[in-house]
Amino acid sequence: MAVKEFGWQAKAPAPPVPGAVFTGYETVLSHGTRTGSLSRLIALLLLTHYDGLLAAGRGDGDEAPAQPLQGVLPSDLAGCRIEAEKLPFGGGVEIAVLNGDVDEVAFQLRPPYFDPGAAVESHDGSCDADVYQAGLCHVSSPLALHGSARAASGQKRRVFGAAMRLLRVGPRGYGRLADDMQRIALILFAVACAFGQPAAYDQPYRPQYHFSPSEHWTNDPNGLVYFDGEYHLFYQYNPFGDVWGHMSWGHAVSRDLLHWQELPVALAEENGVMIFTGSTVIDARNTSGFCANGKPCMVAVYTGHTPRSAEHTTLQTQNLAYSNDHGRTWTKYSGNPVLNLNMPDFRDPHVFWWEPTRRWIMAVSLPNEHKVLFYGSPDLKAWERLSEFGPAGATGGQWECPTLTEVLVAGDPRQTRWVLKVGLNPGGLQGGSGEQYFVGNFDGARFTNGNPPSTTLWTDYGKDCYCALTFNGIARGELPIMIGWMSNWQYAAKVPTEPWRGQMTIPRRLQLRKAPEGFRLVQEPVEAVQRLRGRHFTWRGVNAADLNRALKEKIQGNSFELRSTVIPGVAREVGWKLLAEDGKYTTAGYGNGAVFVDRTQSGVTGFSTDFPARTAAPLAIGHAPLELTILVDRSTVEVFAQGGQVAMTNLAYPPEGARRIEFYSTLGKPGKITVDVWELKSTWK
């Protein structure tokens, strides 16, 4: 297996840079979707695993030639995968220190993602900018490799201990270093593959069947696309910490929308330009000229955000990058930007192919004007303005993340409408960020709203679904698939999770349902969730006390699917207490003509006064039974009522051990209750 397939790129060494000290690098080793603390140590070991990767003095003044980081990955290690991730240097365990006479060593890392001033420190500032950006920098003595080795208990702790003992090499031990490192790397590689789920994906609040990055901050999903059997999820990502900043596109792939494999950063902040939200298309006709070897390629269309500085004001422009290896490596277009209005707020392009006029369509927001602009292009490079939409609906905050999608009407596969979804921050229905949608028609140039401009339709009635996007590349005739960011800008930087902050909603299928007042969006979890079902509990009856006894005896959990049908009868309110323990719980139910989720008593809520909340959605059911599908995943509660007529997404942070499920009613007894509960298996195991 060639090195480049694993993200390493061999180049001729650049001219030496005197006086530079290399103190950081990015790479992580993992098996499938698994990453963790063992991976961090193995990544360090890999630096010396290849023949000639590191040339160090043998002691006694013996000289050794400098060698670049290049070579071929041994075939016996092909069962695991190398992925990009920033390692936290400083304050950790000292893995190895080479502080003798070391000749210049050329490090060639791809994709590099250095934090300026932290990853590479130059004593004399002589690290040339071009060399730096290429990920090519020579270093001289001393060379220190440090890492944070947060070992788990038991077998992992013993492995770390043995590895660190073997790595305590003195100045005269350099001659044995490469051999020792190679042997340890081989052993730990096998151990990492055998361990299964690392601790990194098993923290108390870590969702087990929703995507979240192994560590650091994430917000909006970006560039969702299906291509050659893989669903690609790009997302706003800070490779350097768990708060917003250094925005780049993280990247994960899946074949079923649930089992995700985290890949290296796809598009990195560069030259002071952050990578904001956008979309990815498959250029099957090579209209862009970016595709190689007569095959389709992936093209990302994204907002470049240049923050305000002493030299210039804030600027947002639309840009391109392309990939000819299924998104594993990317090249930014040398002609960027392709669309520039010289504005500080002009962002979040959604792009798709319009076959009748054989051109690309872009929907992009003017946030402060509460408008969505539409552009057309034959080649993704030259854009012509076609029309605009807005203001309309809710205008209490900036408009962001527009998505224009053709959606089937339920019961009539020949009938469709176009749904224009727009994010709003602040000004969401429940406070903070939220999303609205418009239903109408699109003729290839202009979107026409099918409702009065004052009509406001909300995509999700909870507090924690924002910037939801649909996948490009889904076959015509299939129901579109949408994923959103599961958080709210009111408190996203404060939620009590580590080492990650931010996660995605469950992927949802979309269709429209004809109601007396017009077409309304319907959302349901993707069918792949059913394949995660494990232990099953089922109950039918009218006695709530009997139901709760059976629930307590037969099933408890914090990652499960609950489907219930309840006739409210004379009860004022009916519902479910979820993630219950010691008087703390999150409720999901129905009362006073509304579906609701109440997390005011859910557990940990004090990190923000905006977090404790009861969210509600009007829902008239008449004498029909209340139908609820509820997905719970440690810190997430997603409710779909009446077959997806209402969707409501909320975070919750329950106390330790909160696993009980209880049914309740107030001021009267309900009628017949039907419930099925399935434990859902972790997708990280």
Side-chain angles (χ1 to χ4, degrees), residues 115-323:
D115 187 6
V120 176
E121 298 174 358
S122 175
H123 292 310
D124 58 3
S126 59
C127 188
D128 182 84
D130 292 336
V131 173
Y132 180 85
Q133 291 298 335
L136 210 57
C137 220
H138 278 65
V139 299
S140 298
S141 173
L143 170 68
L145 302 179
H146 298 272
S148 168
R150 294 172 290 182
S153 60
Q155 188 176 9
K156 286 187 180 181
R157 191 179 298 275
R158 291 192 293 273
V159 169
F160 269 102
M164 284 186 281
R165 284 194 298 273
L166 282 168
L167 286 171
R168 294 186 186 279
V169 184
R172 296 181 180 275
Y174 297 143
R176 297 187 303 274
L177 182 60
D179 291 340
D180 289 342
M181 293 279 245
Q182 181 167 341
R183 184 173 72 255
I184 298 167
L186 286 167
I187 295 170
L188 289 185
F189 217 122
V191 172
C193 291
F195 269 154
Q197 179 184 10
Y201 283 93
D202 201 24
Q203 295 90 354
Y205 296 138
R206 172 78 74 173
Q208 293 299 287
Y209 58 90
H210 292 73
F211 175 78
S212 59
S214 59
E215 64 178 357
H216 301 324
W217 168 277
T218 188
N219 54 283
D220 308 347
N222 298 156
L224 306 183
V225 67
Y226 179 74
F227 181 44
D228 277 357
E230 287 185 320
Y231 295 94
H232 292 259
L233 167 62
F234 302 91
Y235 47 93
Q236 290 286 278
Y237 184 61
N238 179 3
F240 299 108
D242 62 359
V243 294
W244 187 93
H246 297 289
M247 298 318 297
S248 308
W249 276 22
H251 187 195
V253 294
S254 173
R255 293 191 177 276
D256 65 357
L257 291 164
L258 295 176
H259 293 81
W260 293 98
Q261 176 189 341
E262 196 172 345
L263 295 176
V265 168
L267 299 176
E269 175 193 26
E270 188 176 13
N271 298 323
V273 180
M274 296 189 198
I275 314 299
F276 273 19
T277 298
S279 55
T280 302
V281 299
I282 306 305
D283 191 0
R285 301 166 180 80
N286 194 21
T287 63
S288 63
F290 294 147
C291 305
N293 302 318
K295 297 180 179 179
C297 61
M298 301 174 71
V299 181
V301 189
Y302 64 90
T303 295
H305 173 81
T306 305
R308 181 179 179 179
S309 70
E311 291 77 25
H312 52 73
T313 60
T314 302
L315 179 65
Q316 292 185 348
T317 62
Q318 313 319 315
N319 303 265
L320 305 178
Y322 58 93
S323 171

Side-chain angles (χ1 to χ4, degrees), residues 389 392-393 437-441 447-455 457:
F389 173 79
Y437 69 94
F438 306 91
V439 182
N441 293 294
F447 173 79
T448 304
N449 189 5
N451 293 296
S454 59
T455 300
L457 305 174

Side-chain angles (χ1 to χ4, degrees), residues 566 568 571-576 587-597 614 617-622 624-628 641-642 664-666:
V566 180
R572 180 178 179 180
E573 185 174 294
V574 296
W576 298 94
T587 56
Y590 182 81
N592 296 319
V595 176
F596 66 86
V597 170
R614 178 185 174 108
L619 180 66
I621 63 174
L626 171 68
E627 300 174 6
L628 295 179
Q642 303 308 94
Y664 79 96
S665 64
T666 62

Side-chain angles (χ1 to χ4, degrees), residues 15-72:
V17 181
V21 176
F22 181 84
T23 62
Y25 66 90
E26 280 190 333
T27 184
V28 123
L29 195 69
S30 71
H31 177 47
T33 61
R34 306 166 189 140
T35 59
S37 53
L38 258 182
S39 301
R40 302 177 187 280
L41 179 57
I42 298 170
L44 290 167
L45 298 176
L46 277 176
L47 285 174
T48 55
H49 181 73
Y50 305 95
D51 290 337
L53 285 188
L54 180 64
R58 297 188 177 92
D60 297 325
D62 290 347
E63 295 184 356
Q67 298 290 338
L69 281 176
Q70 57 188 23
V72 176

Side-chain angles (χ1 to χ4, degrees), residues 524-525 561-564 627-631 638-641:
E524 292 188 283
E561 174 189 3
L562 184 153
R563 290 180 179 260
S564 67
E627 300 174 6
L628 295 179
T629 295
I630 304 175
L631 298 181
E638 292 168 283
V639 176
F640 303 86

